[in-house]
Amino acid sequence: MKYTVNYENKIKSLLKEKKYKYYIDTMGCALNENDSMKYNGILSKMGMTKTDDINNANVILFNTCSIRENAEDKLYGRLGTLKKRKLKDNELYICVVGCMTQQKHVIDKIKKSYRFVDVLLGTHSMHNFAKSLYLAMKEKQKIVEYVEDKKELVENIPIIYDEGVKASVSIIYGCNNFCSYCIVPYVRGREKSRLPDDIIKDIRYLAKSGYKEITLLGQNVNSYGNDFRKQDVEELKEYNFVKLLKEIDKIKGVEIIKFMSPHPKDFSDELIEYINENPKISRQIHLPLQSGSTSILKSMNRKYTKEEYLELVRKMKEKISDVSFSTDIIVGFPGETEEDFLETLDVVKKVNFSQIYMFIYSIRKGTVAEKMENQIDEKIKSERLERLKKLFEDTINSENEAYIGKTFNILIEGKSKNNENMYTGRTSSNKVVVFTANERDVGKIKKVKITKNNLWYLTGQIL
Ligand code: SAH
Ligand code: SF4
Ligand code: F3S
């Protein structure tokens, strides 16, 4: 289905000379950030301008995340602070979209406790956002839209990419895996791959506009295309993730290709071979582990064992030169014993991850793990998180030392946020490097020699 700009124009005429501003608050993962670029596109078509100051905005949009309880609490906190202002200002519209509002119990809670919210839309309703906001503005209606799942993807939604040299493109939506702890399959629906032509068109546009690094996004990127076979799309029967990567490789201007996240169970030999053949593909692979214990992995429904994960890593290290791994780990999943946790630490030691995103298990309503007995005590969870952190920091420190004196080709991404007057980029293994450079070097690839280890980043010097 193709999106057509329609209600955006109606809002434009409704607002007439009024200069409305909008503020977008994005929580959650890269997929949500990508969705927010579309909300940005839709809102700017209404003739409004973006502001970074929430106090200045007429339309406030919260794009929400449900992955853990603390993500959900963020929204409630922020809504709470807006109540007084909303009651006084009848030219303020508050919209809540994203993963939280794809759950009935959350919708009920917002409707009950935050009655002043104007628009509530689930993840399958972005194409109705303009219409909903229009009705909220014109008829002063409160709009709530919840659809179970949608059959068809909506293409052509206006999008404003973040400035810079890096851009992300969603290639597959939803998830079929139902890991027992995870809310995503419930709030994002079943896997739906975008058609290759639509993806290629977006990337061509980005490359032409000067973006050099493209990250392909999906909850499970390496399942890309599986749904084409189920739908019996004749010309796409053989199409898969590797074929897509091969087509992206042909696009002039794309210099670095990344993807996030692949599932270890779907990491094919064909993909491993192809990464090795194509130097444009980042050597930093995100390979979510979740736990190092086979029995916990089983109750998480991850569909691989500790040994299979380690074997995959071994094979990739052997076949792909300079490969490095980042990962996600959950501590304190129901039933996790000290022995199980030690298995996780063992995998961390063996793989030598370059980055670990660590999470304390959070009960999610409606998931299989919610009902599991042996929920772990909060104190034990926190203590395990600290031990994992400590092990990781020690590993990073010793690994960083080995970078000193070495030279890497680095894409200069822009000014460093934390180091004044310095610029930043990443090694092919994804280590952040900070160095002195000129503004005109941004977007160029330069040789940088590493001079210092600062734990979470390295200092370097352009040669
Ligand atoms: N599709 C991706 C990532 C999904 S969400 C993947 O499979 O890797 C990002 C991470 O959040 C997950 O990898 C997992 O580590 C974490 N996560 C998901 N549900 C969680 C929960 N209930 N409690 C704590 N962490 C969770
Ligand atoms: Fe969640 Fe598992 Fe799907 Fe990732 S693969 S989104 S962790 S259910
Ligand atoms: Fe959160 Fe939804 Fe992403 S639950 S992690 S924003 S897919």
Side-chain angles (χ1 to χ4, degrees), residues 351-394:
V351 178
N352 212 357
F353 294 108
S354 57
Q355 180 62 276
I356 306 180
Y357 300 93
M358 305 165 193
F359 308 106
I360 288 185
Y361 168 71
S362 166
I363 298 181
R364 302 288 70 210
K365 203 174 163 71
T367 60
V368 172
E370 182 202 0
K371 303 271 161 9
M372 286 179 184
E373 285 163 14
N374 311 325
Q375 298 284 340
I376 305 294
D377 187 82
E378 292 302 321
K379 245 177 83 186
I380 298 180
K381 286 185 189 172
S382 310
E383 180 246 352
R384 285 184 186 159
L385 184 76
E386 287 310 311
R387 282 161 71 196
L388 178 58
K389 259 192 202 160
K390 173 84 176 57
L391 172 65
F392 180 56
E393 284 179 11
D394 291 350

Short mmCIF file of all heavy atoms in Angstrom, two decimals, residues 351-394:
data_model
loop_
_atom_site.label_atom_id
_atom_site.label_comp_id
_atom_site.label_asym_id
_atom_site.label_seq_id
_atom_site.Cartn_x
_atom_site.Cartn_y
_atom_site.Cartn_z
N VAL A 351 34.46 -15.29 24.07
CA VAL A 351 34.21 -14.56 22.81
C VAL A 351 34.98 -13.26 22.75
O VAL A 351 35.41 -12.83 21.69
CB VAL A 351 32.69 -14.28 22.63
CG1 VAL A 351 32.44 -13.50 21.36
CG2 VAL A 351 31.91 -15.59 22.62
N ASN A 352 35.20 -12.62 23.89
CA ASN A 352 35.88 -11.34 23.91
C ASN A 352 35.07 -10.26 23.18
O ASN A 352 35.54 -9.66 22.21
CB ASN A 352 37.24 -11.51 23.24
CG ASN A 352 38.28 -10.59 23.84
OD1 ASN A 352 37.94 -9.79 24.71
ND2 ASN A 352 39.49 -10.69 23.35
N PHE A 353 33.85 -10.02 23.64
CA PHE A 353 32.97 -9.05 22.98
C PHE A 353 33.55 -7.64 23.00
O PHE A 353 34.17 -7.25 24.00
CB PHE A 353 31.61 -9.01 23.70
CG PHE A 353 30.84 -10.28 23.58
CD1 PHE A 353 30.68 -11.13 24.67
CD2 PHE A 353 30.25 -10.65 22.37
CE1 PHE A 353 29.97 -12.31 24.57
CE2 PHE A 353 29.52 -11.82 22.26
CZ PHE A 353 29.39 -12.65 23.36
N SER A 354 33.32 -6.89 21.95
CA SER A 354 33.79 -5.50 21.95
C SER A 354 32.77 -4.58 22.61
O SER A 354 33.10 -3.47 23.02
CB SER A 354 34.06 -5.03 20.52
OG SER A 354 32.89 -5.16 19.76
N GLN A 355 31.53 -5.02 22.69
CA GLN A 355 30.50 -4.24 23.38
C GLN A 355 29.45 -5.20 23.93
O GLN A 355 29.08 -6.16 23.25
CB GLN A 355 29.87 -3.25 22.40
CG GLN A 355 28.79 -2.37 22.98
CD GLN A 355 29.30 -1.46 24.09
OE1 GLN A 355 29.37 -1.89 25.25
NE2 GLN A 355 29.65 -0.22 23.76
N ILE A 356 29.01 -4.95 25.15
CA ILE A 356 27.92 -5.77 25.71
C ILE A 356 26.82 -4.84 26.22
O ILE A 356 27.08 -3.96 27.04
CB ILE A 356 28.39 -6.66 26.88
CG1 ILE A 356 29.59 -7.51 26.48
CG2 ILE A 356 27.24 -7.57 27.36
CD1 ILE A 356 30.12 -8.42 27.60
N TYR A 357 25.62 -5.02 25.71
CA TYR A 357 24.47 -4.31 26.25
C TYR A 357 23.86 -5.23 27.29
O TYR A 357 23.42 -6.34 26.97
CB TYR A 357 23.47 -3.96 25.15
CG TYR A 357 24.12 -3.10 24.09
CD1 TYR A 357 24.70 -3.66 22.95
CD2 TYR A 357 24.21 -1.72 24.26
CE1 TYR A 357 25.33 -2.88 22.01
CE2 TYR A 357 24.84 -0.91 23.32
CZ TYR A 357 25.40 -1.51 22.20
OH TYR A 357 26.05 -0.72 21.27
N MET A 358 23.90 -4.78 28.57
CA MET A 358 23.51 -5.68 29.67
C MET A 358 22.17 -5.23 30.23
O MET A 358 21.97 -4.04 30.48
CB MET A 358 24.54 -5.59 30.79
CG MET A 358 25.93 -5.87 30.32
SD MET A 358 27.10 -5.33 31.60
CE MET A 358 28.61 -5.41 30.65
N PHE A 359 21.31 -6.19 30.47
CA PHE A 359 19.99 -5.86 30.99
C PHE A 359 19.62 -6.76 32.16
O PHE A 359 19.90 -7.95 32.14
CB PHE A 359 18.93 -6.03 29.90
CG PHE A 359 19.26 -5.31 28.63
CD1 PHE A 359 19.69 -6.01 27.51
CD2 PHE A 359 19.17 -3.93 28.57
CE1 PHE A 359 20.02 -5.33 26.33
CE2 PHE A 359 19.49 -3.24 27.40
CZ PHE A 359 19.91 -3.94 26.29
N ILE A 360 18.94 -6.14 33.12
CA ILE A 360 18.35 -6.92 34.20
C ILE A 360 17.00 -7.39 33.69
O ILE A 360 16.24 -6.59 33.13
CB ILE A 360 18.20 -6.05 35.46
CG1 ILE A 360 19.59 -5.82 36.06
CG2 ILE A 360 17.25 -6.68 36.47
CD1 ILE A 360 19.59 -5.06 37.37
N TYR A 361 16.71 -8.66 33.86
CA TYR A 361 15.43 -9.21 33.38
C TYR A 361 14.25 -8.44 33.98
O TYR A 361 14.21 -8.16 35.17
CB TYR A 361 15.32 -10.71 33.74
CG TYR A 361 13.92 -11.22 33.51
CD1 TYR A 361 13.43 -11.37 32.21
CD2 TYR A 361 13.06 -11.50 34.58
CE1 TYR A 361 12.12 -11.79 31.99
CE2 TYR A 361 11.76 -11.92 34.36
CZ TYR A 361 11.30 -12.06 33.06
OH TYR A 361 10.01 -12.46 32.83
N SER A 362 13.32 -8.10 33.12
CA SER A 362 12.14 -7.33 33.54
C SER A 362 10.89 -8.09 33.09
O SER A 362 10.78 -8.45 31.92
CB SER A 362 12.24 -5.95 32.89
OG SER A 362 11.04 -5.25 32.97
N ILE A 363 9.98 -8.35 34.02
CA ILE A 363 8.78 -9.12 33.68
C ILE A 363 7.90 -8.32 32.72
O ILE A 363 7.61 -7.15 32.97
CB ILE A 363 7.95 -9.42 34.95
CG1 ILE A 363 8.78 -10.25 35.92
CG2 ILE A 363 6.63 -10.10 34.62
CD1 ILE A 363 8.05 -10.62 37.20
N ARG A 364 7.51 -8.95 31.61
CA ARG A 364 6.64 -8.30 30.63
C ARG A 364 5.29 -8.99 30.58
O ARG A 364 5.23 -10.22 30.38
CB ARG A 364 7.27 -8.31 29.23
CG ARG A 364 8.62 -7.68 29.08
CD ARG A 364 8.61 -6.17 29.17
NE ARG A 364 8.32 -5.66 30.52
CZ ARG A 364 7.71 -4.51 30.75
NH1 ARG A 364 7.32 -3.77 29.76
NH2 ARG A 364 7.50 -4.10 31.98
N LYS A 365 4.26 -8.20 30.72
CA LYS A 365 2.89 -8.73 30.77
C LYS A 365 2.54 -9.44 29.46
O LYS A 365 2.75 -8.91 28.37
CB LYS A 365 1.93 -7.56 30.99
CG LYS A 365 0.61 -7.94 31.59
CD LYS A 365 -0.19 -6.66 31.88
CE LYS A 365 -1.63 -6.96 32.09
NZ LYS A 365 -1.95 -7.63 33.33
N GLY A 366 2.04 -10.66 29.59
CA GLY A 366 1.58 -11.39 28.40
C GLY A 366 2.62 -12.32 27.80
O GLY A 366 2.31 -13.11 26.93
N THR A 367 3.88 -12.23 28.29
CA THR A 367 4.91 -13.13 27.75
C THR A 367 4.89 -14.46 28.52
O THR A 367 4.33 -14.54 29.63
CB THR A 367 6.31 -12.50 27.90
OG1 THR A 367 6.55 -12.26 29.30
CG2 THR A 367 6.43 -11.19 27.14
N VAL A 368 5.55 -15.47 27.95
CA VAL A 368 5.59 -16.78 28.59
C VAL A 368 6.35 -16.72 29.93
O VAL A 368 5.94 -17.30 30.93
CB VAL A 368 6.23 -17.83 27.63
CG1 VAL A 368 6.47 -19.15 28.33
CG2 VAL A 368 5.33 -18.02 26.41
N ALA A 369 7.45 -15.96 29.95
CA ALA A 369 8.29 -15.92 31.15
C ALA A 369 7.59 -15.22 32.32
O ALA A 369 7.98 -15.40 33.48
CB ALA A 369 9.62 -15.23 30.85
N GLU A 370 6.57 -14.43 32.01
CA GLU A 370 5.83 -13.74 33.09
C GLU A 370 5.29 -14.75 34.08
O GLU A 370 5.25 -14.52 35.29
CB GLU A 370 4.67 -12.92 32.49
CG GLU A 370 3.89 -12.14 33.53
CD GLU A 370 2.49 -11.77 33.09
OE1 GLU A 370 2.08 -12.12 31.95
OE2 GLU A 370 1.78 -11.14 33.89
N LYS A 371 4.89 -15.91 33.54
CA LYS A 371 4.22 -16.91 34.37
C LYS A 371 5.20 -17.89 35.01
O LYS A 371 4.80 -18.79 35.72
CB LYS A 371 3.22 -17.72 33.51
CG LYS A 371 2.18 -16.87 32.80
CD LYS A 371 0.96 -16.70 33.69
CE LYS A 371 0.03 -15.57 33.35
NZ LYS A 371 0.15 -14.82 32.17
N MET A 372 6.51 -17.74 34.70
CA MET A 372 7.47 -18.72 35.22
C MET A 372 7.68 -18.55 36.72
O MET A 372 7.70 -17.41 37.21
CB MET A 372 8.81 -18.57 34.50
CG MET A 372 8.78 -19.10 33.08
SD MET A 372 10.39 -18.88 32.28
CE MET A 372 9.99 -19.49 30.64
N GLU A 373 7.85 -19.69 37.36
CA GLU A 373 8.18 -19.62 38.79
C GLU A 373 9.67 -19.31 38.89
O GLU A 373 10.33 -19.16 37.88
CB GLU A 373 7.84 -20.96 39.45
CG GLU A 373 6.35 -21.10 39.61
CD GLU A 373 5.93 -22.54 39.86
OE1 GLU A 373 6.80 -23.37 40.17
OE2 GLU A 373 4.72 -22.80 39.72
N ASN A 374 10.20 -19.26 40.10
CA ASN A 374 11.63 -18.97 40.30
C ASN A 374 12.05 -17.63 39.74
O ASN A 374 13.09 -17.52 39.11
CB ASN A 374 12.54 -20.04 39.65
CG ASN A 374 12.15 -21.43 40.00
OD1 ASN A 374 11.70 -21.67 41.11
ND2 ASN A 374 12.31 -22.33 39.05
N GLN A 375 11.22 -16.61 39.89
CA GLN A 375 11.68 -15.26 39.53
C GLN A 375 12.83 -14.94 40.49
O GLN A 375 12.82 -15.33 41.66
CB GLN A 375 10.55 -14.24 39.66
CG GLN A 375 9.36 -14.49 38.74
CD GLN A 375 9.59 -14.11 37.27
OE1 GLN A 375 10.48 -13.32 36.95
NE2 GLN A 375 8.79 -14.68 36.38
N ILE A 376 13.84 -14.25 39.98
CA ILE A 376 15.06 -14.03 40.78
C ILE A 376 14.93 -12.75 41.61
O ILE A 376 14.41 -11.75 41.15
CB ILE A 376 16.30 -13.94 39.84
CG1 ILE A 376 16.40 -15.19 38.96
CG2 ILE A 376 17.59 -13.71 40.62
CD1 ILE A 376 16.66 -16.47 39.68
N ASP A 377 15.50 -12.85 42.80
CA ASP A 377 15.51 -11.73 43.73
C ASP A 377 16.24 -10.52 43.12
O ASP A 377 17.29 -10.68 42.49
CB ASP A 377 16.28 -12.23 44.97
CG ASP A 377 16.23 -11.24 46.07
OD1 ASP A 377 15.22 -11.25 46.79
OD2 ASP A 377 17.21 -10.47 46.21
N GLU A 378 15.67 -9.31 43.32
CA GLU A 378 16.24 -8.10 42.71
C GLU A 378 17.71 -7.89 43.12
O GLU A 378 18.52 -7.43 42.33
CB GLU A 378 15.44 -6.85 43.09
CG GLU A 378 14.04 -6.80 42.50
CD GLU A 378 14.00 -6.87 40.97
OE1 GLU A 378 14.88 -6.26 40.31
OE2 GLU A 378 13.10 -7.55 40.42
N LYS A 379 18.03 -8.23 44.38
CA LYS A 379 19.40 -8.01 44.86
C LYS A 379 20.39 -8.88 44.09
O LYS A 379 21.47 -8.45 43.71
CB LYS A 379 19.47 -8.34 46.36
CG LYS A 379 19.78 -7.11 47.19
CD LYS A 379 19.79 -7.39 48.66
CE LYS A 379 21.11 -7.96 49.15
NZ LYS A 379 21.00 -8.35 50.57
N ILE A 380 19.98 -10.13 43.86
CA ILE A 380 20.86 -11.05 43.12
C ILE A 380 21.02 -10.57 41.68
O ILE A 380 22.11 -10.59 41.11
CB ILE A 380 20.29 -12.49 43.17
CG1 ILE A 380 20.25 -12.95 44.62
CG2 ILE A 380 21.09 -13.44 42.28
CD1 ILE A 380 19.73 -14.35 44.83
N LYS A 381 19.93 -10.10 41.10
CA LYS A 381 20.00 -9.59 39.72
C LYS A 381 21.03 -8.46 39.62
O LYS A 381 21.87 -8.45 38.73
CB LYS A 381 18.64 -9.04 39.29
CG LYS A 381 17.56 -10.06 38.97
CD LYS A 381 16.35 -9.30 38.46
CE LYS A 381 15.12 -10.16 38.30
NZ LYS A 381 13.93 -9.35 37.99
N SER A 382 20.93 -7.49 40.55
CA SER A 382 21.84 -6.33 40.50
C SER A 382 23.28 -6.76 40.73
O SER A 382 24.20 -6.25 40.08
CB SER A 382 21.50 -5.29 41.57
OG SER A 382 20.16 -5.00 41.52
N GLU A 383 23.44 -7.70 41.63
CA GLU A 383 24.81 -8.15 41.94
C GLU A 383 25.42 -8.85 40.71
O GLU A 383 26.57 -8.63 40.36
CB GLU A 383 24.73 -9.09 43.16
CG GLU A 383 26.02 -9.66 43.62
CD GLU A 383 26.09 -11.18 43.45
OE1 GLU A 383 25.07 -11.82 43.11
OE2 GLU A 383 27.18 -11.70 43.63
N ARG A 384 24.60 -9.62 40.00
CA ARG A 384 25.10 -10.29 38.78
C ARG A 384 25.44 -9.27 37.69
O ARG A 384 26.43 -9.42 36.98
CB ARG A 384 24.07 -11.30 38.27
CG ARG A 384 24.06 -12.54 39.14
CD ARG A 384 23.14 -13.63 38.65
NE ARG A 384 23.12 -14.68 39.67
CZ ARG A 384 22.18 -15.59 39.80
NH1 ARG A 384 21.16 -15.62 38.96
NH2 ARG A 384 22.24 -16.50 40.75
N LEU A 385 24.61 -8.24 37.59
CA LEU A 385 24.89 -7.20 36.60
C LEU A 385 26.25 -6.55 36.88
O LEU A 385 27.06 -6.35 35.97
CB LEU A 385 23.79 -6.14 36.63
CG LEU A 385 23.92 -5.05 35.57
CD1 LEU A 385 23.50 -5.57 34.20
CD2 LEU A 385 23.07 -3.83 35.93
N GLU A 386 26.51 -6.26 38.16
CA GLU A 386 27.79 -5.64 38.53
C GLU A 386 28.97 -6.54 38.20
O GLU A 386 29.99 -6.09 37.70
CB GLU A 386 27.81 -5.30 40.04
CG GLU A 386 26.93 -4.12 40.41
CD GLU A 386 27.18 -2.89 39.53
OE1 GLU A 386 28.36 -2.52 39.35
OE2 GLU A 386 26.20 -2.32 39.02
N ARG A 387 28.81 -7.83 38.46
CA ARG A 387 29.91 -8.77 38.16
C ARG A 387 30.17 -8.84 36.65
O ARG A 387 31.31 -8.90 36.20
CB ARG A 387 29.58 -10.16 38.70
CG ARG A 387 29.80 -10.25 40.21
CD ARG A 387 29.06 -11.41 40.80
NE ARG A 387 29.63 -12.70 40.44
CZ ARG A 387 28.97 -13.86 40.60
NH1 ARG A 387 27.75 -13.86 41.10
NH2 ARG A 387 29.54 -15.00 40.25
N LEU A 388 29.11 -8.83 35.89
CA LEU A 388 29.25 -8.87 34.44
C LEU A 388 29.95 -7.61 33.93
O LEU A 388 30.86 -7.65 33.11
CB LEU A 388 27.86 -9.04 33.80
CG LEU A 388 27.78 -9.07 32.29
CD1 LEU A 388 28.63 -10.19 31.70
CD2 LEU A 388 26.32 -9.24 31.82
N LYS A 389 29.53 -6.46 34.49
CA LYS A 389 30.13 -5.18 34.10
C LYS A 389 31.63 -5.18 34.36
O LYS A 389 32.43 -4.75 33.53
CB LYS A 389 29.51 -4.06 34.96
CG LYS A 389 28.44 -3.27 34.28
CD LYS A 389 28.15 -2.04 35.13
CE LYS A 389 26.78 -1.50 34.84
NZ LYS A 389 26.28 -0.64 35.92
N LYS A 390 31.99 -5.67 35.57
CA LYS A 390 33.39 -5.66 35.99
C LYS A 390 34.23 -6.52 35.05
O LYS A 390 35.29 -6.09 34.57
CB LYS A 390 33.47 -6.18 37.44
CG LYS A 390 34.84 -6.40 38.00
CD LYS A 390 35.41 -5.07 38.54
CE LYS A 390 36.76 -5.22 39.20
NZ LYS A 390 37.82 -5.79 38.40
N LEU A 391 33.73 -7.69 34.73
CA LEU A 391 34.46 -8.59 33.83
C LEU A 391 34.65 -7.93 32.48
O LEU A 391 35.73 -7.96 31.89
CB LEU A 391 33.68 -9.91 33.67
CG LEU A 391 34.23 -10.87 32.61
CD1 LEU A 391 35.62 -11.37 32.99
CD2 LEU A 391 33.29 -12.06 32.39
N PHE A 392 33.59 -7.28 31.99
CA PHE A 392 33.66 -6.68 30.68
C PHE A 392 34.66 -5.51 30.65
O PHE A 392 35.47 -5.39 29.73
CB PHE A 392 32.26 -6.21 30.26
CG PHE A 392 32.24 -5.57 28.91
CD1 PHE A 392 32.72 -6.27 27.80
CD2 PHE A 392 31.76 -4.29 28.73
CE1 PHE A 392 32.73 -5.68 26.54
CE2 PHE A 392 31.76 -3.70 27.48
CZ PHE A 392 32.25 -4.40 26.39
N GLU A 393 34.63 -4.68 31.69
CA GLU A 393 35.55 -3.53 31.72
C GLU A 393 37.00 -4.00 31.74
O GLU A 393 37.85 -3.43 31.04
CB GLU A 393 35.27 -2.65 32.94
CG GLU A 393 34.02 -1.83 32.75
CD GLU A 393 33.69 -0.95 33.94
OE1 GLU A 393 34.54 -0.81 34.87
OE2 GLU A 393 32.58 -0.41 33.94
N ASP A 394 37.27 -5.05 32.50
CA ASP A 394 38.64 -5.58 32.55
C ASP A 394 39.07 -6.06 31.16
O ASP A 394 40.20 -5.84 30.74
CB ASP A 394 38.73 -6.74 33.55
CG ASP A 394 38.57 -6.24 34.99
OD1 ASP A 394 38.59 -5.01 35.18
OD2 ASP A 394 38.40 -7.09 35.89
#
